């Protein structure tokens, strides 16, 4: 239970919260840990003390904030904790260690018992233009109004679990949150002309909405085709001109959520529509200032709907009653039932295809976070990829299926290949603690690389049908629980009968890349006219006839030398063993007669084990794609040789023709080596 009040003049947020904590652990607890995330922006915070940077010849003034760990502005962040009391009003002893607060309990809290306590606090919200962050406010000089997005705004419980006890790793800015589930009843007091959106459903719509707004709100709950405007742009523009001195208190309730966030402004336009998901009809809602139009009124709520539908199909039905998308500049941040998204059109209202994509992608992504990590509640402080990677994968799938005209390479194998080609010794594996990934590599490491890896699993290693079933199983098994990485790895194998140990090891625990070199191609034909089946002792002479006249084979770069010929001798008696019947040597000879036999040597240069996707182009111009599972490397991870039999003569062999393996070097993927296939040209020109 929280009561909070926003001061629109000083930007101070004052709160008073009561937490009832249930000890569901098998052991008793002597103390509780809470997270004081706002202390990240306190003087001498652990982030400022440990962020590193350099001074160059000329440096943008804005860098002297949190980016370099040197803050020279007047803003004073961090919590003022006024009191920490038990249910009887007696002060509790506590200690603050940077972004964590330990509350000592009067007596150990036994298994199954609960403990109620309250905290009174305040802090001043920051200007996100100066302090890039997940919340803050945006100021609009033209009309003198603010859009507030409040995030990590109240002291929040740490997770206590059977995996590591208290998860109280300090907040350093990059590694996000580890949070426990709870029910929230929150009253937010704001200027009376504000519109508030939050985690949860509005409990007092009749009090805070006008009669007309209330009617529109009810209508939106039954509108499945298009959004209904609860506050129009015209009405919002009108409200910008005055500033109410009155206050209004909005009440929200949310059940089984890991966090609570809210946004408030008198600038908000508000549209909403219902989304049909099985027997649930969550309300998709967007709040945005006029500066976001016309892009937002066209695309935001639609993107919420697309995300909810596709994610529900691939995981579980979205269980919450509402899903908000809020606009304020330069954001992309997620909370249960609500997210904050940037991307706005130019001043004249026009926008590029890139801006359209960026908006659609960010709304899908942040709404998608409801599934990972808001419900499948992984530890973000430790493993960013567990929510960002899985979520980027489904974001990419939603864009691919719902916005094919906007679909690009983000989160795909083709998109990640240039990153994977980088210096292996300097990169860090996906399985790296969130704050230990260099900021410049955070995007690929936590988002795009795991998404590309999952795409390879779906499209190439497992196949869509098995992958989708396994992925869904993981999501359903770990919904409203705290999965660790191995829980994901195990579930994917358990539900699919695909051995993926090699895949997790290579893609998640190393910085190796996929680079297969098609090092050698040999072409053979059976020399049928020289075979004398009756001569039982005839030995095989590999490539005997042709090689004598054309010199050493195997170093050839093309097929111009023609096939090497080889002979088939009769199966020797000792190979027949104790069987009374005999192998029909002539029948085998006849099967191979006239066939083209290709022997390919594959070298694993990049280190990652990979399936092989081979495109054969025949003399008549037709093509065939052949897929070889990764188990082909099981006896030798460095080099393998494999034989293929083709009816027709081959003129070109290409590895990874559709860029589905993330092979970082396409030049060694083709035979004949001299010519360059058109797809390689495409790949080069696209990268
Ligand atoms: Zn994300």
């Amino acid at each position: 239970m929280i009561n909070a009040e926003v001061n629109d003049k000083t930007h101070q947020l004052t709160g008073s919260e009561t937490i009832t904590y249930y000890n569901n652990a098998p052991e008793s607890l002597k103390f509780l840990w809470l997270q004081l995330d706002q202390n990240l922006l306190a003087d001498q915070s652990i982030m400022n003390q440990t962020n590193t940077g350099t001074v160059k010849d000329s440096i943008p003034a804005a860098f002297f904030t949190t980016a370099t760990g040197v803050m020279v502005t007047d803003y004073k962040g961090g919590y003022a904790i006024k009191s920490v009391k038990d249910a009887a009003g007696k002060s509790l002893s506590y200690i603050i260690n940077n972004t964590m607060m330990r509350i000592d309990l009067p007596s150990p809290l036994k298994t199954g018992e609960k403990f109620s306590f309250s905290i009174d606090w305040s802090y001043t919200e920051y200007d996100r233009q100066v302090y890039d962050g997940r919340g803050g406010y945006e100021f609009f000089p033209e009309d003198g109004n603010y859009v507030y997005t409040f995030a990590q705004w109240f002291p929040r419980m740490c997770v206590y679990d059977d995996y590591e006890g208290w998860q109280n790793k300090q907040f350093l800015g990059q590694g996000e949150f580890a949070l426990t589930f709870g029910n929230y009843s929150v009253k937010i007091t704001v200027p009376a002309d504000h519109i508030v959106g939050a985690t949860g459903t509005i409990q007092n719509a009749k009090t805070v909405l006008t009669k007309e707004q209330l009617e529109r709100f009810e209508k939106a709950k039954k509108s499945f085709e298009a959004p209904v405007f609860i506050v129009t742009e015209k009405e919002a523009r009108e409200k910008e001109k005055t500033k109410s001195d009155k206050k209004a208190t909005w009440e929200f309730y949310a059940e089984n959520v890991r966090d609570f966030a809210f946004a408030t402004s008198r600038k908000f336009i508000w549209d909403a529509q219902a989304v049909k998901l099985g027997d649930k009809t969550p309300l998709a809602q967007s709040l945005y200032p006029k500066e976001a139009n016309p892009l937002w009124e066209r695309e935001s709520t639609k993107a919420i709907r697309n995300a909810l539908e596709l994610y529900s199909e691939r995981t579980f039905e979205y269980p919450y009653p509402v899903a908000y998308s809020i606009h304020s500049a330069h954001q992309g941040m997620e909370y249960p039932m609500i997210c904050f998204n940037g991307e706005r059109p130019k001043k004249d209202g026009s926008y590029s295809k890139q801006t359209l994509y960026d908006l659609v992608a960010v709304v899908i992504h942040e709404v998608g976070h409801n599934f990972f990590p808001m419900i499948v509640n992984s530890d973000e402080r430790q493993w960013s990829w567990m929510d960002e990677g899985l979520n980027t994968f489904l974001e990419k799938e939603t864009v691919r299926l719902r916005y094919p005209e906007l679909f690009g390479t983000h989160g795909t194998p083709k998109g990640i290949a240039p990153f994977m080609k980088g210096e292996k010794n300097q990169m860090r594996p996906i399985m790296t603690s969130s704050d230990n990934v260099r900021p410049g590599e955070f995007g690929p490491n936590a988002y795009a690389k795991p998404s590309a890896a999952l795409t390879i699993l779906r499209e190439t290693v497992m196949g869509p049908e098995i992958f989708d079933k396994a992925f869904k199983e993981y999501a359903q098994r770990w919904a409203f629980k705290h999965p660790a990485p191995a829980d994901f790895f195990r579930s994917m194998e358990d539900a699919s009968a695909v051995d993926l140990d090699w895949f997790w090891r290579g893609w998640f625990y190393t910085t190796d890349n996929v680079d297969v070199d098609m090092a050698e191609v040999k072409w053979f034909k059976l020399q049928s006219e020289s075979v004398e089946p009756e001569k039982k002792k005839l030995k095989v002479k590999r490539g005997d006839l042709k090689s004598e006249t054309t010199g050493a084979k195997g170093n050839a770069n093309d097929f111009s030398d023609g096939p090497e010929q080889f002979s088939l001798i009769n199966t020797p008696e000792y190979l027949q063993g104790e069987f009374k019947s005999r192998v029909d040597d002539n029948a085998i000879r006849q099967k191979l007669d006239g066939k083209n036999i290709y022997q390919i040597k594959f070298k694993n240069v990049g280190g990652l084990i990979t399936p092989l996707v081979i495109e054969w182009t025949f003399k008549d111009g037709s093509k065939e794609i052949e897929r070889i599972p990764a188990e082909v490397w099981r006896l030798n991870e460095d080099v393998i040789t494999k034989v293929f039999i083709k009816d027709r003569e081959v003129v070109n062999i290409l590895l990874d023709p559709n860029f589905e393996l993330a092979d970082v070097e396409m030049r060694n993927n083709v035979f004949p080596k001299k010519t360059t296939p058109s797809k390689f040209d495409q790949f080069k020109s696209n990268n």
Side-chain angles (χ1 to χ4, degrees):
M1 227 174 61
I2 312 175
N3 289 316
E5 182 168 346
V6 179
N7 186 319
D8 196 26
K9 293 194 178 78
T10 63
H11 318 302
Q12 196 178 58
L13 183 66
T14 309
S16 160
E17 69 189 66
T18 302
I19 299 176
T20 304
Y21 187 77
Y22 293 81
N23 182 10
N24 297 320
E27 54 271 349
S28 53
L29 301 172
K30 282 166 63 183
F31 49 81
L32 307 176
W33 279 104
L34 282 88
Q35 316 187 47
L36 303 181
D37 305 82
Q38 290 300 327
N39 285 357
L40 190 74
L41 289 178
D43 248 6
Q44 291 300 303
S45 77
I46 185 166
M47 172 178 74
N48 287 333
Q49 287 179 326
T50 60
N51 270 2
T52 50
T54 54
V55 177
K56 300 190 187 89
D57 285 353
S58 61
I59 179 169
F63 280 22
F64 275 91
T65 55
T66 50
T68 48
V70 186
M71 296 216 290
V72 294
T73 51
D74 293 331
Y75 170 73
K76 290 274 172 268
Y79 281 109
I81 301 286
K82 292 194 190 76
S83 67
V84 181
K85 290 176 178 161
D86 69 10
K90 200 168 163 253
S91 288
L92 292 165
S93 123
Y94 66 92
I95 185 163
I96 293 173
N97 176 3
N98 289 299
T99 62
M100 295 286 164
M101 173 164 79
R102 181 179 127 156
I103 298 179
D104 291 325
L105 298 172
S107 59
L109 183 62
K110 295 199 186 76
T111 303
E113 285 182 355
K114 62 183 176 183
F115 180 72
S116 279
F117 60 102
S118 51
I119 308 174
D120 288 355
W121 49 265
S122 67
Y123 74 91
T124 304
E125 189 57 298
Y126 60 92
D127 183 345
R128 205 175 48 262
Q129 167 75 5
V130 184
Y131 301 98
D132 186 27
R134 295 169 178 81
Y137 61 77
E138 180 183 5
F139 179 59
F140 293 78
E142 280 182 14
D143 52 81
N145 286 300
Y146 298 85
V147 169
Y148 296 90
T149 50
F150 284 101
Q152 297 88 245
W153 53 280
F154 61 97
R156 308 184 292 177
M157 286 303 306
C158 288
V159 172
Y160 185 85
D161 68 14
D162 58 355
Y163 187 67
E164 58 178 280
W166 285 110
Q167 166 45 300
N168 53 8
K169 189 170 160 56
Q170 292 287 339
F171 185 31
L172 297 178
Q174 183 165 272
E176 292 187 327
F177 311 110
L179 295 157
T180 195
F181 290 106
N183 302 333
Y184 285 76
S185 183
V186 180
K187 292 178 184 166
I188 303 162
T189 301
V190 295
D193 51 358
H194 274 214
I195 293 290
V196 183
T199 299
T201 43
I202 304 170
Q203 302 298 296
N204 62 339
K206 280 179 189 149
T207 320
V208 290
L209 301 186
T210 65
K211 192 164 167 280
E212 194 177 26
Q213 286 170 347
L214 191 64
E215 276 168 24
R216 294 168 177 175
F217 187 52
E218 292 306 320
K219 197 175 149 203
K221 291 178 185 171
K222 293 179 196 79
S223 175
F224 290 91
E225 291 308 314
V228 170
F229 283 94
I230 299 157
V231 177
T232 65
E233 180 172 331
K234 196 166 166 249
E235 290 159 354
R237 281 176 181 272
E238 209 44 50
K239 276 205 289 182
E240 284 183 353
K241 294 174 187 164
T242 57
K243 292 172 180 51
S244 174
D245 286 334
K246 296 200 181 73
K247 291 176 184 177
T249 299
W250 294 58
E251 299 179 26
F252 290 87
Y253 179 71
E255 219 162 74
N256 221 3
V257 287
R258 84 198 289 258
D259 200 357
F260 190 104
F262 70 97
T264 181
S265 178
R266 67 173 58 82
K267 287 175 69 68
F268 280 151
I269 300 160
W270 183 3
D271 76 52
Q273 76 161 87
V275 180
K276 185 103 188 90
L277 299 172
D279 56 357
K280 296 190 179 69
T281 58
L283 192 64
Q285 307 177 74
S286 297
L287 300 179
Y288 43 96
K290 65 176 192 297
E291 285 75 6
N293 265 342
L295 178 61
W296 270 66
E297 64 183 17
R298 291 177 191 160
E299 301 294 341
S300 174
T301 300
K302 189 169 120 191
I304 300 175
R305 189 188 68 208
N306 281 322
L308 291 182
E309 287 174 354
L310 195 116
Y311 279 69
S312 294
E313 210 177 287
R314 294 284 183 89
T315 58
F316 42 79
E317 254 170 40
Y318 182 67
Y320 294 137
V322 302
Y324 282 96
S325 162
I326 313 285
H327 176 65
S328 184
H330 196 60
Q331 282 193 309
M333 191 54 207
E334 67 278 8
Y335 299 91
M337 303 186 221
I338 189 169
C339 54
F340 309 147
N341 304 308
E343 302 308 326
R344 60 177 56 143
K346 294 188 195 123
K347 211 160 180 194
D348 65 1
S350 67
Y351 49 88
S352 63
K353 192 179 171 192
Q354 183 65 42
T355 301
L356 172 62
Y357 166 77
D358 289 344
L359 173 72
V360 164
V362 75
V363 174
I364 292 170
H365 183 95
E366 308 309 342
V367 170
H369 271 306
N370 274 295
F371 297 81
F372 309 98
M374 301 306 152
I375 294 168
V376 180
N377 191 353
S378 57
D379 179 350
E380 299 177 273
R381 180 94 8 119
Q382 201 73 260
W383 311 116
S384 292
W385 69 267
M386 285 195 77
D387 67 302
E388 298 299 357
L390 273 57
N391 186 37
T392 300
F393 168 72
L394 282 187
E395 168 210 326
K396 181 217 71 178
E397 287 290 273
T398 309
V399 176
R400 181 174 72 85
L401 294 163
R402 299 296 174 98
Y403 301 87
E405 72 285 359
L406 297 177
F407 184 58
T409 59
H410 179 55
T412 67
K414 186 178 179 179
I416 202 62
F419 170 75
M420 299 286 282
K421 202 174 180 173
E423 188 47 60
K424 285 184 201 175
N425 295 334
Q426 309 213 341
M427 288 194 267
R428 303 218 162 159
I430 291 176
M431 282 294 291
T432 299
S433 182
S434 306
D435 280 296
N436 297 0
V437 180
R438 285 183 298 191
E441 281 169 19
F442 194 66
N445 194 297
Y447 297 67
K449 183 177 168 183
S451 170
L454 293 177
T455 305
I456 292 171
L457 274 190
R458 183 176 193 268
E459 307 301 330
T460 311
V461 177
M462 302 170 79
E465 202 183 357
I466 291 177
F467 175 91
D468 288 350
K469 269 188 188 296
F471 192 82
K472 192 175 214 167
E473 180 62 30
Y474 165 71
Q476 295 189 350
R477 198 176 273 183
W478 289 96
F480 297 106
K481 296 193 176 79
H482 298 280
D487 297 318
F488 176 65
F489 300 152
R490 273 194 294 265
S491 291
M492 290 300 287
E493 298 189 44
D494 171 62
S496 70
V498 184
D499 178 358
L500 297 172
D501 293 1
W502 60 274
F503 189 87
W504 309 131
R505 187 185 63 179
W507 275 90
F508 286 74
Y509 288 88
T510 79
T511 57
D512 286 346
N513 57 42
V514 172
D515 181 10
V516 179
D517 176 13
M518 196 155 52
E520 181 187 271
V521 176
K522 284 188 175 187
W523 175 22
F524 294 95
K525 270 196 163 180
L526 180 65
Q527 191 193 17
S528 52
E529 68 276 11
S530 72
V531 172
E532 292 179 55
E534 269 56 57
K535 283 191 181 174
K536 290 184 175 172
K537 293 282 162 107
L538 186 70
K539 287 266 192 298
V540 183
K541 289 184 189 168
R542 256 179 275 172
D544 52 353
L545 296 177
K546 263 268 178 165
S547 63
E548 276 169 22
T549 52
T550 57
K553 294 286 215 169
N555 294 323
N557 288 326
D558 56 38
F559 293 114
S560 63
D561 287 345
E564 294 180 44
Q565 302 200 20
F566 73 103
S567 312
L568 274 191
I569 58 163
N570 283 341
T571 307
E573 195 54 37
Y574 73 92
L575 287 179
Q576 310 277 10
E578 59 182 347
F579 290 101
K580 297 290 183 195
S581 63
R582 288 292 171 262
V583 172
D584 187 343
D585 293 321
N586 277 333
I588 293 173
R589 260 182 212 102
Q590 275 161 23
K591 289 264 188 206
L592 289 174
D593 191 30
K595 297 283 164 71
N596 298 282
I597 298 165
Y598 297 94
Q599 176 185 303
I600 307 182
K601 182 182 281 181
F602 299 98
K603 283 189 181 162
N604 178 1
V605 180
L608 280 194
I609 300 301
T610 177
L612 299 172
V613 181
I614 306 167
E615 181 190 80
W616 303 89
T617 304
F618 300 101
K619 213 170 183 176
D620 61 9
S622 64
K623 289 175 192 291
E624 172 196 319
I625 290 199
E626 189 162 352
R627 292 166 178 280
I628 313 286
E631 278 84 347
V632 73
W633 299 96
R634 70 190 183 280
L635 299 181
N636 189 330
E637 296 189 15
D638 302 317
V639 57
I640 51 173
T641 304
K642 191 165 172 62
V643 174
F644 303 86
I645 299 174
K646 302 292 170 193
D647 288 344
R648 287 165 295 166
E649 205 176 308
V650 169
V651 294
N652 191 281
I653 307 170
L654 178 61
L655 262 180
D656 195 17
N658 304 315
F659 311 111
E660 59 187 279
L661 304 177
D663 195 314
V664 301
E665 178 53 83
M666 291 301 283
R667 272 175 291 195
N668 57 16
N669 281 27
V670 63
F671 191 90
K673 291 184 179 178
K674 284 168 196 159
T675 56
T676 308
S678 60
K679 277 186 178 167
F680 171 51
D681 286 336
Q682 282 169 23
F683 181 77
K684 257 176 59 174
S685 62
N686 288 346
N687 287 276

